[in-house]
């Protein structure tokens, strides 16, 4: 089976923690509905290394000019969005959405989508309603005060919801069977060990 590419945009000031659950889940075939169906590739504005907020150096797998439609484009948050940077990736996001490719944005990246007009007429969320209103976008009536929201092919999340962000992405990609996804989410959301044992049992069932 040919792998489907999930593209992760990387840039200076990228917020490391916001896509941790997502990247780990996609790249780890354990318990996936179709193990190994997806893989993550990083895409940068150019080929130069970038440095995250946490000081981690990332060398992009490909440049924006080399980006081709894949299974999804993920846009992490980071200080660069509020500095008015990353505008070039927004044109790519609009083109991908026009081609029916999902785009997922968290934290500052939601402000980027707002500036691009992508959130003007669909349900969405962000760090705060006022945060997006500062972009002068026209979608305030569609704002939902939720950790993460999926509307068609657009996923948005606030900066404190990396887990919910991953949950919505996994649902969109159909990465796990529903019982697995719900047990995984329950475990990391609550720390309740009963969810861990559910996952163990589901693993045994899937391999027997």
């Amino acid at each position: 089976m040919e792998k489907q590419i999930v593209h992760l945009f990387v840039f200076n000031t990228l917020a490391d923690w916001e896509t941790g659950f997502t990247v780990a889940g996609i790249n780890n075939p354990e318990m996936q509905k179709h193990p190994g169906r997806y893989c993550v590739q990083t895409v940068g504005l150019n080929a130069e290394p970038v440095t995250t907020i946490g000081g981690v150096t990332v060398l992009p797998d490909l440049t924006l000019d080399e980006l081709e439609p894949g299974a999804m484009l993920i846009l992490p948050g980071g200080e660069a969005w509020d500095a008015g940077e990353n505008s070039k990736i927004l044109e790519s996001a609009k083109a991908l959405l026009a081609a029916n490719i999902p785009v997922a944005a968290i934290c500052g990246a939601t402000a980027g989508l707002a500036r691009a007009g992508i959130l003007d007429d669909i349900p969405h969320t962000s760090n705060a309603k006022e945060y997006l209103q500062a972009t002068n976008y026209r979608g305030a009536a569609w704002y939902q005060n939720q950790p993460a929201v999926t509307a068609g092919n657009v996923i948005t999340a606030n900066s404190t919801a990396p887990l919910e962000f991953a949950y919505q992405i996994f649902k969109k990609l159909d990465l796990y069977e529903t019982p697995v996804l719900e047990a995984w989410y329950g475990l990391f959301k609550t720390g309740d060990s009963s969810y861990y044992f559910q996952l163990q049992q589901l693993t045994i069932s899937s391999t027997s």
Side-chain angles (χ1 to χ4, degrees):
M1 178 175 60
E2 185 176 354
K3 287 185 180 294
Q4 298 183 39
I5 306 301
V6 175
H7 291 108
L8 174 69
F9 180 50
V10 294
F11 56 94
N12 288 316
T13 76
L14 179 154
D16 311 59
W17 62 92
E18 292 179 345
T19 57
F21 287 112
T22 298
V23 171
I26 293 171
N27 276 337
N28 181 3
E30 185 177 1
M31 300 194 71
Q32 290 183 3
K33 195 172 183 179
H34 303 288
R37 179 181 182 183
Y38 300 105
C39 68
V40 176
Q41 283 190 352
T42 55
V43 54
L45 294 174
N46 52 52
E48 295 299 315
V50 300
T51 303
T52 70
I53 289 178
V56 176
T57 300
V58 179
L59 182 65
D61 293 316
L62 66 160
T63 68
L64 185 55
D65 291 338
E66 298 170 317
L67 177 64
E68 296 182 355
M72 179 180 286
L73 172 65
I74 300 174
L75 304 175
E79 296 170 356
W81 295 105
D82 292 332
E85 301 174 18
N86 297 341
S87 59
K88 289 184 178 179
I89 193 67
L90 296 174
E91 293 305 312
S92 298
K94 293 170 75 171
L96 291 173
L97 287 170
N100 204 34
I101 305 297
V103 172
I106 185 171
C107 189
T110 62
L113 296 190
R115 293 188 184 96
I118 294 171
L119 305 183
D120 282 348
D121 56 4
I122 60 170
H124 60 273
T125 192
S126 182
N127 297 335
K129 187 174 184 178
E130 295 78 9
Y131 176 64
L132 289 189
Q133 286 177 320
T135 68
N136 295 316
Y137 85 131
R138 296 177 293 179
W142 294 90
Y143 187 86
Q144 297 185 358
N145 190 25
Q146 300 291 332
V149 172
T150 297
N153 280 329
V154 178
I155 298 171
T156 51
N158 70 46
S159 60
T160 65
L163 182 63
E164 288 79 5
F165 188 53
Y167 177 88
Q168 295 296 331
I169 288 172
F170 295 163
K171 283 186 70 175
K172 192 65 177 177
L173 294 175
D174 195 25
L175 192 66
Y176 302 111
E177 297 286 359
T178 299
V180 173
L181 178 59
E182 295 302 326
W184 171 86
Y185 178 75
L187 175 62
F188 284 98
K189 185 66 176 179
T190 69
D192 186 335
S193 61
S194 66
Y195 290 110
Y196 173 77
F197 294 113
Q198 285 183 36
L199 285 171
Q200 280 195 319
Q201 189 60 46
L202 288 166
T203 301
I204 294 171
S205 299
S206 64
T207 57
S208 60

